[in-house]
Amino acid sequence: MSWLPFPRSLFSRLVLLLLFGLVLAEAITALVLTRDRGEAIQRAAGIHSAQRIAGIVKILDQMPAVQRQEIVDALDGPNMRISLSIPPQGEQNQAPPTSDGTLFRGVLHYYLDDDRLIYLSQVDSTARQHFNSMNELPMRMGRGSGMHDMMQRHMAEAGLILPSEGANLIQVELRDGQWVSFGEQLPEEMTAWPLRVILALGLVLITLGLVAFLAVRWITSPLAYLADSARALGKDLQRPPLAEEGPEEVCSTLRAFNTMQAQIRKFVDERSRFLAAISHDLKTPITRLRLRSGLLDNAELQEKFERDLNDMEELVQGTLEFMRDETGNERRQALDINDLLETMQIDGEEAGSKITLTGRAQSVFYCHPVSLRRMINNLVDNALKYGGQADIQVEDSKEYLKISIADAGTGIPEPQIERVFEPYTRLDNSRSKETGGTGLGLTIAKNIALTHGGTLTLRNKKAGGLQAIIILPR
């Protein structure tokens, strides 16, 4: 059982696997890229905030205590709140240290050039009351309104004002012991995917997907060519060898295919010549025996000799026809199937045979005319010989031509239906010395059907009799 039941074609599987790998690689790259980008932006924003706070603290350190409030009022704004009235929160109210808070405190110490006390905590409702409420929202809207809450949320997300929850309280001790408090939203790690990054990754995925599609088609096209050639070889053993083009592996495969075709053709030709020579050579002793049997005085013995010699001659002739059909040297030509079958029907009726014909072919059929005529003749002769009649039915379409030949005989036992296609096979219940036969008729007929790329099957009819069904692709 295949580990990947769908899709079935190698081309589709390779494209699917490559696209899956590309999507997975793009997803991993995007995750790493956005995480690194978020961390870099977070650190840069934190450093910038620490620099700004350190600069304000240095300015306040140099100012007299009575003038500091003026500077604080001037610098206080919606994006950074400053107050001198919030008492130090102390260690008991300090939020648990985090890696981001520790880093921010270390950067702030670095820019202040000393180790003064710095407290980090959360802005609570008590601390928020010490900030100047006039600088909370630079818009005149009624408190508690939906528009006010929405604008408050969006401006907090943009970093323009402090959010209602989660704002950080940064308290720094000045040199004279006074404390200055900053309310600011420290940057969080950014993991959102910017539209430009998404578009860039999508464009890369589409480009690589198209390249993968074309590459897989280019790689697998020789396999399709080889499959078509193998099917064509079954129809025509004498077809020209394949062009050995493409990558080295493909050329090696095509070369091996051409070698196999040459070996098969050589084997078939040698076997055909061998059997044809034997069959031809047998004619000479058969002819001598026939002449000598004519000199016998015993008429009964002479009749037996003649009957055996006729059987031998029929066997030799059948073998020659069988080998001639296997070579497949006949060229394809247009054949009028309707004219062929009507002629068979007329000739059969003139000879006293019962042949019926229904259905018509829609157009001429390109085939090996002599071989196709021999196949239909064999099946019609079998129907007349073993079933007393031949009912021919034609069904035609754009895809295939179907010819059914049925008789009214006893049929063939189901276990032996396939066996009758073997060369020189004769079934006792269907053939006898009175009817004759070499056991090659059905074998020849099936080989001719296969040569045309079609099939020949036998089946017993429910009402009695045997039906031979020929299906030939157009």
Side-chain angles (χ1 to χ4, degrees):
M1 182 177 180
S2 175
W3 65 276
L4 187 62
F6 181 82
R8 300 298 303 172
S9 67
L10 179 61
F11 172 79
S12 301
R13 290 185 179 186
L14 289 176
V15 170
L16 182 63
L17 290 176
L18 286 176
L19 288 180
F20 175 77
L22 289 175
V23 171
L24 183 61
E26 290 271 310
I28 295 175
T29 303
L31 289 175
V32 174
L33 178 63
T34 53
R35 184 173 181 84
D36 290 345
R37 174 181 175 274
E39 291 179 354
I41 293 177
Q42 179 191 18
R43 292 183 179 181
I47 292 173
H48 175 72
S49 178
Q51 285 178 326
R52 183 170 53 176
I53 292 175
I56 295 175
V57 170
K58 289 181 178 180
I59 293 175
L60 295 177
D61 275 337
Q62 299 174 3
M63 300 291 297
V66 294
Q67 295 181 355
R68 286 174 181 169
Q69 188 61 47
E70 297 178 3
I71 299 299
V72 167
D73 291 339
L75 295 177
D76 185 27
N79 60 337
M80 175 181 281
R81 309 309 309 276
I82 307 176
S83 174
L84 294 173
S85 60
I86 302 176
Q89 298 296 310
E91 295 294 335
Q92 67 276 11
N93 294 328
Q94 188 172 351
T98 62
S99 59
D100 294 337
T102 302
L103 177 63
F104 180 81
R105 188 185 289 109
V107 174
L108 189 53
H109 276 302
Y110 173 79
Y111 286 112
L112 290 174
D113 295 328
D114 55 35
D115 293 330
R116 68 181 73 193
L117 291 177
I118 297 175
Y119 293 152
L120 297 179
S121 60
Q122 298 291 319
V123 176
D124 54 16
S125 58
T126 303
R128 190 178 293 272
Q129 295 176 358
H130 291 274
F131 293 123
N132 187 354
S133 60
M134 296 299 295
N135 294 327
E136 286 186 359
L137 188 66
M139 303 179 69
R140 296 195 176 275
M141 297 181 182
R143 293 289 182 177
S145 67
M147 180 62 71
H148 176 277
D149 294 339
M150 182 183 68
M151 293 301 299
Q152 187 87 13
R153 185 176 65 256
H154 288 319
M155 294 183 72
E157 291 175 354
L160 299 177
I161 62 173
L162 291 182
S164 59
E165 295 181 359
N168 296 279
L169 182 63
I170 306 156
Q171 294 181 293
V172 183
E173 185 182 20
L174 300 178
R175 289 177 179 175
D176 60 0
Q178 188 178 13
W179 287 80
V180 59
S181 301
F182 299 87
E184 188 173 41
Q185 178 69 24
L186 292 181
E188 297 179 355
E189 183 177 347
M190 300 180 181
T191 56
W193 292 17
L195 179 60
R196 182 172 297 180
V197 173
I198 296 176
L199 292 177
L201 292 177
L203 181 60
V204 171
L205 181 61
I206 293 174
T207 303
L208 293 179
L210 180 61
V211 172
F213 178 85
L214 296 177
V216 171
R217 178 174 291 278
W218 177 62
I219 292 173
T220 57
S221 58
L223 297 178
Y225 173 58
L226 186 61
D228 294 338
S229 301
R231 284 190 290 267
L233 182 63
K235 300 177 182 179
D236 183 11
L237 190 59
Q238 306 299 327
R239 66 186 308 279
L242 305 180
E244 299 176 4
E245 300 175 350
E248 180 59 32
E249 294 81 3
V250 175
C251 289
S252 178
T253 303
L254 296 176
R255 193 177 303 115
F257 183 87
N258 289 335
T259 302
M260 178 194 68
Q261 177 182 348
Q263 291 175 346
I264 293 175
R265 183 188 305 166
K266 181 180 178 181
F267 170 77
V268 172
D269 290 344
E270 288 180 352
R271 192 188 66 165
S272 300
R273 287 194 297 269
F274 176 73
L275 293 178
I278 292 178
S279 300
H280 182 271
D281 292 343
L282 285 175
K283 288 184 177 182
T284 300
I286 290 175
T287 303
R288 288 200 301 265
L289 288 173
R290 190 182 301 278
L291 292 175
R292 291 173 183 175
S293 66
L295 301 177
L296 295 175
D297 296 332
N298 190 329
E300 183 179 356
L301 182 60
Q302 183 180 6
E303 182 181 353
K304 292 180 180 180
F305 265 103
E306 287 291 336
R307 186 165 56 246
D308 290 340
L309 291 172
N310 288 336
D311 290 343
M312 292 177 63
E313 192 169 14
E314 184 179 357
L315 182 62
V316 170
Q317 186 62 32
T319 302
L320 288 174
E321 292 181 0
F322 174 67
M323 299 313 304
R324 182 169 59 251
D325 289 322
E326 277 204 338
T327 57
N329 291 324
E330 186 183 2
R331 294 178 56 188
R332 287 181 177 263
Q333 300 177 20
L335 177 65
D336 189 339
I337 296 294
N338 298 321
D339 181 65
L340 171 64
L341 297 178
E342 289 171 359
T343 301
M344 286 186 180
Q345 182 187 25
I346 294 174
D347 292 343
E349 290 177 349
E350 291 179 352
S353 302
K354 185 180 179 180
I355 300 178
T356 62
L357 176 61
T358 57
R360 292 182 61 83
Q362 299 176 1
S363 61
V364 296
F365 185 73
Y366 286 88
C367 61
H368 303 301
V370 176
S371 298
L372 187 64
R373 188 178 294 109
R374 181 179 296 113
M375 174 179 63
I376 298 177
N377 268 329
N378 286 351
L379 297 175
V380 171
D381 289 344
N382 281 348
L384 294 174
K385 190 180 297 182
Y386 307 121
Q389 67 182 56
D391 300 323
I392 306 174
Q393 183 178 2
V394 180
E395 298 179 23
D396 197 5
S397 66
K398 295 181 179 179
E399 291 79 22
Y400 62 86
L401 172 66
K402 180 179 178 180
I403 302 175
S404 302
I405 303 172
D407 60 40
T410 58
I412 298 176
E414 291 294 336
Q416 298 182 346
I417 284 185
E418 291 299 323
R419 182 169 167 258
V420 297
F421 289 114
E422 298 176 4
Y424 306 108
T425 298
R426 300 175 61 180
L427 303 181
D428 294 338
N429 62 340
S430 63
R431 298 177 184 268
S432 64
K433 292 182 179 180
E434 286 73 20
T435 57
T438 62
L440 288 173
L442 289 176
T443 305
I444 293 174
K446 187 168 186 177
N447 285 346
I448 293 174
L450 292 175
T451 301
H452 287 80
T455 60
L456 170 61
T457 57
L458 301 178
R459 70 178 184 91
N460 291 310
K461 299 189 299 180
K462 294 182 179 180
L466 185 70
Q467 184 179 29
I469 303 174
I470 308 167
I471 298 179
L472 303 174
R474 278 196 171 273

